[in-house]
Amino acid sequence: MKTDSLAVLLAADRARVDAFLARVFDQRRPAAPRLEDAMRHGLLVGGKRLRPLLVYLAGRALGAHDEALDAPAAAVELIHAYSLVHDDLPAMDDDDLRRGQPTVHRAYDEATAILAGDALQTLAFEVLARAAHPRLPALILTLATAAGRDGMVGGQALDLAAVGGHPDVEALATMHAHKTGALIRAAVRMGALTAVEESDPRVAALEHYAEALGLAFQIHDDVLDVTGDTQTLGKASGADAARDKPTYPALLGLEGARRRASELTEEALAALGSLGEAGGPLAQLARYMIERDH
């Protein structure tokens, strides 16, 4: 698939999941309108939608229809959005900008931001539970495990504990495999399970792809924090160094970090071999994810 064709596909998928997410909020009479507005701000204002894109591309690669992929794609983005709202809080990363806009606690207030994150998290499972699918329990379990103590939240705890410390590369990889990688793996797995049974060997191949890609994505994020600018990133650049957080450029040097991201990307691409041409869009997305500038 050509790069311009991928761009068209990704734009269409972003529009698709955004429309689905907007419908989740439309035609409602919310009990707490301010909370609802804060949730919209944390979810619908910008975003690359990489995790929903992985759901769509992985599912299509194994034969799933878009309609069946909409709820899993929306659910994984709701979890991601909640995590960002909470990550930005003063008790966590204390950020003022997200996606070029004021963070939720800056646009509203801290208490509302906490509640908005809570509500986005539970809404993810509400959206997924309303989907009629024969492997719905496996989809819910996949998302819950990736989001919780053995996944993203556990990784966030490791991240906070590492501030000011000096973990080695292996410890840093473990942290990122939980904090960032778990939700990326879940997105790919949920797309795959929408199409086929868990015993299908292509599910394991896709999970290998996602594991390598998730770490490559985080390493590239670390690089962008050093090389990017605030306007392009949509958030403050240099934040990791300012907070004395361990990063791949700090441990491996900038070129070493870039080289490791490239190696992991090649590993991810090799894992797609059993999918043949059907894995082409996933391969293109992997390259895009470590070439992006924000």
Side-chain angles (χ1 to χ4, degrees):
M1 177 179 287
K2 295 180 180 179
T3 302
D4 54 349
S5 299
L6 178 70
V8 171
L9 177 62
L10 299 188
D13 283 344
R14 288 189 188 102
R16 183 179 184 92
V17 74
D18 281 348
F20 185 96
L21 289 166
R23 289 195 297 272
V24 172
F25 286 87
D26 290 344
Q27 298 177 340
R28 275 175 46 81
R29 296 183 63 183
R34 181 176 170 81
L35 172 65
E36 197 90 350
D37 289 344
M39 292 169 67
R40 283 177 174 266
H41 184 86
L43 176 67
L44 300 177
V45 179
K48 295 182 287 293
R49 307 297 192 230
L50 288 177
R51 290 151 192 83
L53 296 176
L54 285 166
V55 174
Y56 284 122
L57 295 187
R60 287 188 197 121
L62 302 189
H65 296 294
D66 286 357
E67 291 77 11
L69 296 165
D70 286 336
V76 76
E77 184 64 16
L78 283 159
I79 291 291
H80 178 56
Y82 122 73
S83 76
L84 298 182
V85 173
H86 280 189
D87 281 358
D88 291 337
L89 288 167
M92 303 282 274
D93 287 347
D94 194 16
D95 279 320
D96 295 332
L97 285 177
R98 173 68 66 178
R99 297 166 173 170
Q101 301 291 328
T103 50
V104 176
H105 70 277
R106 292 299 184 194
Y108 293 85
D109 57 73
E110 189 173 348
T112 299
I114 293 170
L115 293 175
D118 292 343
L120 288 167
Q121 181 192 41
T122 54
L123 183 57
F125 293 100
E126 179 184 336
V127 166
L128 198 53
R130 291 182 186 278
H133 192 277
R135 285 179 291 280
L136 183 59
L139 294 173
I140 292 174
L141 180 60
T142 294
L143 187 59
T145 303
R149 59 183 181 178
D150 292 325
M152 185 183 69
V153 173
Q156 182 65 58
L158 292 173
D159 188 27
L160 291 172
V163 172
H166 300 88
D168 58 20
V169 172
E170 183 177 352
L172 191 58
T174 297
M175 179 187 77
H176 287 316
H178 289 76
K179 181 182 176 183
T180 304
L183 204 57
I184 287 176
R185 292 194 304 275
V188 171
R189 178 177 168 83
M190 290 167 71
L193 292 181
T194 303
V196 299
E197 296 286 349
E198 185 175 5
S199 58
D200 190 305
R202 294 173 296 177
V203 176
L206 282 168
E207 288 185 328
H208 185 183
Y209 161 86
E211 183 175 357
L213 181 64
L215 186 51
F217 175 82
Q218 181 58 56
I219 294 173
H220 188 61
D221 253 14
D222 285 357
V223 169
L224 288 177
D225 190 68
V226 175
T227 63
D229 61 85
T230 298
Q231 183 174 358
T232 302
L233 295 176
K235 59 183 179 180
S237 61
D240 291 339
R243 299 187 189 100
D244 199 18
K245 295 179 71 172
T247 66
Y248 277 87
L251 291 178
L252 301 178
L254 201 55
E255 289 308 311
R258 285 174 169 149
R259 185 163 54 250
R260 182 58 182 144
S262 180
E263 291 168 354
L264 286 162
T265 302
E266 291 304 314
E267 183 180 336
L269 297 177
L272 296 174
S274 62
L275 275 67
E277 291 185 3
L282 285 165
Q284 289 289 328
L285 182 62
R287 294 188 181 96
Y288 161 77
M289 286 173 74
I290 69 157
E291 293 171 357
R292 61 196 163 85
D293 61 1
H294 65 286

